[in-house]
Amino acid sequence: MQIVTWNVNSIRARENRVLNWLDQHQPDVLCLQELKCREEEFPFDGFDQLGYEVSLLGQKSYNGVAIVSRSFADDVETGLPWAEDSDARGIAATVDGVRVVTVYVPNGQQAQSERWEQKLVWLDKLHEWLAATSSPEDELVICGDFNIAADDRDLFDPAMWHEQNLATTEERERLQALLDWGLSDALRAKTDAAEQYTWWDFLTDGFVFNRGLRIDLHLITQPLLERLEDVVIDTEERGGEKPSDHAPVSLMLRD
DNA sequence: ATGGCAAATATCATTTGA
C-alpha cells in the first residue's frame, strides 16, 4: 500500500503536475495540502477520470487539505483538530482499513511571534484530538506538512536555523509528544541519513544548491511500523517547470 | 538594511509561505 503526502502549493496551479504524477505512480492514497481553493473550485474531473475519489476541506486562497483515494474513503472527518478552527488544515478518512489523517500545520512565521504561539496551540490541540479519538493500537498514519524540522539532520544549515521558526525547542517538543503517544517518524525508522529534504525554497533557488528542509512527514502507529517497507521522497518532481516547493513523499507498506 | 520567488486576490499592491 502506498500513501503519499504532498504540499502542492495550489491545486489549480499544479493540476497537470498532480494528475500526471498520480497516473504515473498509481498510489492508493494521495494526501494533499495547500489546495488554496474552495471545494467548488477543486478540479475534480481529472481525478475522476483516473479512477480516484476526492474527499476535501477547502478554503479560499489559503490552506485546504484533501485525501485522494482509489478505494472508498470511509468515515471522513473534517474540522481537525477542533471543530471551531477557522482554517482548513485537517481531514481524516479510513481507506483499505487504514485510518489516514492529513494535516497542514500552521507555519508560525517567526519564533516567539503571535502566529508561532498559535502554531504551538494548534499542535497541542492535534495531540488532544488524537488521544481522544484514536489508539496507538490502531492502523493509523498522520501525514502532511508539519512545518517542523525534527532535528538538525533535517536542516540545510543548522547554525543559521538555530531556534528559528520550524526548528525551535518548543515546536520539536510538540512533535516529540506526538511520537511519545505512540507514533514513529516513518523515514527515521528507515534511515539516520541527513539531507532527506522534502522542501526547498523558491527565493534563493534552494533546490539547485540542495538547501532544503525535511518537514513533510508520515507518523505511523506500531501496527503500521510492522508493515513499513520504505519511505520515498520524489525529488525529481521538485524539478522542471513550475513545481511545488515541496516534493511528494510516499509511505510504502507491505500488504 | 533585508534582496531574491510563487500564488491568490481583483491588485496594479498586499499577504502568506518556511
Side-chain angles (χ1 to χ4, degrees), chain A residues 66 203 254:
Chain A
L203 267 66
R254 287 183 286 270

Side-chain angles (χ1 to χ4, degrees), chain A residues 182-212:
Chain A
L183 296 168
S184 298
D185 181 341
L187 182 130
R188 285 300 171 218
K190 295 299 295 186
T191 180
D192 291 326
E195 299 187 344
Q196 302 296 298
Y197 303 141
T198 65
W199 172 91
W200 299 260
D201 77 284
F202 288 133
L203 267 66
T204 65
D205 218 351
F207 188 62
V208 172
F209 304 101
N210 199 27
R211 293 192 298 251

Side-chain angles (χ1 to χ4, degrees), chain A residues 17 35 60 79 92 127 131 135 148 153 161 166 192 207 210 212 219 222 229 240 243 250:
Chain A
R17 279 243 182 199
L35 303 178
K60 181 182 176 182
H127 190 166
S135 158
I148 303 172
R153 291 170 298 182
W161 282 94
L166 312 193
D192 291 326
F207 188 62
N210 199 27
L219 309 185
Q222 181 68 30
E229 190 171 276
S250 293

Side-chain angles (χ1 to χ4, degrees), chain A residues 144-184:
Chain A
D145 178 356
F146 281 78
N147 273 318
I148 303 172
D151 63 59
D152 285 350
R153 291 170 298 182
D154 301 320
L155 299 164
F156 64 89
D157 186 345
M160 188 188 94
W161 282 94
H162 179 70
E163 292 298 332
Q164 297 297 305
N165 183 45
L166 312 193
T168 63
T169 301
E170 291 87 344
E171 290 163 80
R172 288 172 167 178
E173 283 173 351
R174 271 31 176 220
L175 181 58
Q176 186 59 48
L178 290 172
L179 301 179
D180 290 343
W181 174 81
L183 296 168
S184 298

Side-chain angles (χ1 to χ4, degrees), chain A residues 82-151:
Chain A
W82 74 98
E84 297 78 18
D85 188 2
S86 57
D87 284 350
R89 294 185 179 275
I91 187 169
T94 301
V95 183
D96 298 330
V98 176
R99 190 64 176 165
V100 179
V101 182
T102 196
V103 294
Y104 176 47
V105 175
N107 174 283
Q109 289 189 342
Q110 192 163 14
Q112 315 301 326
S113 70
E114 190 176 339
R115 292 291 185 98
W116 177 85
E117 297 280 1
Q118 291 165 356
K119 176 184 191 176
L120 300 182
V121 170
W122 197 97
L123 288 162
D124 287 338
K125 297 261 195 182
L126 178 65
H127 190 166
E128 287 169 24
W129 172 83
L130 181 69
T133 60
S134 309
S135 158
E137 309 302 315
D138 297 342
E139 290 206 315
L140 179 144
V141 53
I142 306 182
C143 63
D145 178 356
F146 281 78
N147 273 318
I148 303 172
D151 63 59

